[in-house]
Amino acid sequence: MDNLFDELKRKVSGWDRKIVFPESADSRVLSAAGRLADEDVLTPVLIGNMEVVQDRARDLKVSLDKMEIYDPDVYIGMDEMIQAFVERRKGKVTEGEAAEILLDPNYFGTMLVYLNKAHGLVSGAAHSTADTVRPALQIIKMKEGIGKTSGAFLMVKGEEKYVFADCAINIAPDSQDLAEIAIEAAKTARMFDIEPRVAMLSFSTRGSAVSEETEKVSDAVKMAKEIDPDLILDGEFQFDAAFVPSVARKKAPESDIQGDANVFVFPSLEAGNIGYKIAQRLGEYEAVGPILQGLNSPVNDLSRGCSEENVYHLSLITAMQSIQMK
């Protein structure tokens, strides 16, 4: 795990990335930002009242010298930001409503990313997923050709690395959604030097059962292959057929994936969420994420139960995403 993030830190350093932290008063967030700044990995951009941030930093013995601090209440560029927000929302809010909305640190921070004053945002230590994702969907929006954002987890144990998706956002993805999730999950895998071999999961392997649920996955496989014909991807697979070579030889002998998949796309949110937690708690894999996929600029969501280390790691991932999107 340490080697993985040491390598990520090496890749990020020197790119002068600025990452926004809307929850600057949270001790976990501020301590992680302090480490990132001290190590010259990236420039933390803190959102909050200057005196409050300074007092909190003093208590935590965190230096603010290499950080930027924005206070929405006194931000001199607020008029410009309000106009940009109203335009981005295409008249769905008035200037007066925008002025109120942009006092929210997540909205304000997301606008900094949209206006190219920062490269990404990390939030969620003290906010719900909706509080983090909603501004991103309204302001950053999805990449062309992508209908929905999705959430992937990097699962790590020793030298083993896998990507699980979608485990965080879409409750009941359709075939098109699953195809998009697969393509984006492959991109996430490459960020961690994983050459993706994508398995689309179900309770059936290559037609061993036929139902609306299995056909949804098999249709997604066809769509994903049309989008990226060079990507190694197959399904539908039961997990054992995707992961165990001897099972793959029996159940899917003609497949390009022979028990060697490293990216797993789940057919529903309940399956993905249950699956990654089983791997985390019973398999003792470290779950890093969720890493949000499909946005024009990276915005990532922490768990409210996160540690300082989680903040540090997700910040590195966010910076790396911003480099890949460049």
Side-chain angles (χ1 to χ4, degrees):
M1 187 70 164
D2 289 340
N3 290 340
L4 171 69
F5 284 98
D6 285 343
E7 179 63 17
L8 206 57
K9 187 164 62 175
R10 184 191 65 77
K11 290 179 178 180
V12 168
S13 297
W15 279 89
D16 194 25
R17 298 289 93 174
K18 294 183 179 182
I19 303 300
V20 179
F21 298 94
E23 299 160 324
S24 58
D26 188 289
S27 60
R28 298 163 295 177
V29 173
L30 193 52
S31 295
R35 286 173 59 191
L36 292 161
D38 288 345
E39 294 170 0
D40 290 319
V41 178
L42 54 83
T43 300
V45 178
L46 308 180
I47 310 300
N49 177 272
M50 179 69 75
E51 290 185 6
V52 172
V53 173
Q54 288 175 336
D55 288 346
R56 194 79 182 106
R58 192 178 302 112
D59 291 342
L60 295 169
K61 296 181 172 54
V62 170
S63 171
L64 300 174
D65 291 345
K66 298 179 182 179
M67 304 192 203
E68 296 179 6
I69 304 173
Y70 288 85
D71 182 350
D73 288 323
V74 297
Y75 177 53
I76 60 173
M78 184 58 86
D79 288 344
E80 174 194 355
M81 184 178 283
I82 288 170
Q83 292 297 325
F85 182 70
V86 171
E87 181 180 339
R88 188 62 167 165
R89 297 292 290 131
K90 297 182 178 178
K92 293 179 181 177
V93 296
T94 66
E95 289 185 11
E97 290 169 337
E100 288 295 320
I101 291 169
L102 290 172
L103 293 177
D104 179 295
N106 281 311
Y107 272 95
F108 182 89
T110 303
M111 280 301 295
L112 290 179
V113 177
Y114 175 65
L115 295 171
N116 296 317
K117 298 181 185 297
H119 301 97
L121 179 145
V122 174
S123 188
H127 291 88
S128 69
T129 294
D131 289 336
T132 301
V133 175
R134 189 183 299 110
L137 294 178
Q138 292 178 358
I139 300 167
I140 301 296
K141 300 189 179 182
M142 307 304 302
K143 291 187 286 190
E144 186 175 353
I146 301 294
K148 296 177 183 176
T149 188
S150 57
F153 279 86
L154 174 68
M155 308 300 294
V156 185
K157 184 167 72 171
E159 297 301 311
E160 296 180 72
K161 298 181 289 187
Y162 304 100
V163 172
F164 285 13
D166 176 5
C167 305
I169 304 293
N170 295 287
I171 294 173
D174 61 21
S175 296
Q176 183 64 44
D177 297 333
L178 289 173
E180 292 175 1
I181 290 166
I183 298 300
E184 293 302 307
K187 294 176 184 176
T188 297
R190 291 189 181 100
M191 183 167 62
F192 301 104
D193 295 325
I194 299 170
E195 188 55 39
R197 302 179 65 82
V198 183
M200 308 288 280
L201 299 179
S202 183
F203 58 83
S204 165
T205 297
R206 302 288 294 273
S208 63
V210 179
S211 72
E212 183 178 336
E213 291 81 5
T214 62
E215 289 177 349
K216 176 182 77 169
V217 179
S218 61
D219 287 345
V221 171
K222 296 172 188 173
M223 292 177 184
K225 287 183 175 181
E226 288 176 2
I227 296 170
D228 187 352
D230 296 327
L231 178 63
I232 297 174
L233 175 148
D234 206 357
E236 81 281 9
F237 280 128
Q238 293 161 287
F239 183 81
D240 57 355
F243 192 70
V244 181
S246 61
V247 177
R249 286 194 295 273
K250 292 177 182 177
K251 292 187 174 183
E254 304 302 320
S255 176
D256 290 336
I257 292 179
Q258 286 295 302
D260 54 358
N262 50 29
V263 177
F264 300 93
V265 177
F266 292 83
S268 68
L269 181 58
E270 61 184 351
N273 192 268
I274 291 167
Y276 101 79
K277 288 183 183 293
I278 288 174
Q280 181 185 37
R281 301 301 180 181
L282 291 183
E284 298 183 347
Y285 280 81
E286 179 104 15
V288 180
I291 303 162
L292 298 188
Q293 305 178 145
L295 293 165
N296 280 309
S297 297
V299 171
N300 282 314
D301 178 41
L302 294 158
S303 164
R304 277 174 280 185
C306 68
S307 65
E308 175 188 327
E309 201 70 11
N310 295 146
V311 181
Y312 182 88
H313 287 163
L314 197 57
S315 301
L316 289 174
I317 290 170
T318 305
M320 190 65 216
Q321 282 180 299
S322 75
I323 295 167
Q324 288 191 329
M325 292 176 182
K326 188 176 179 297

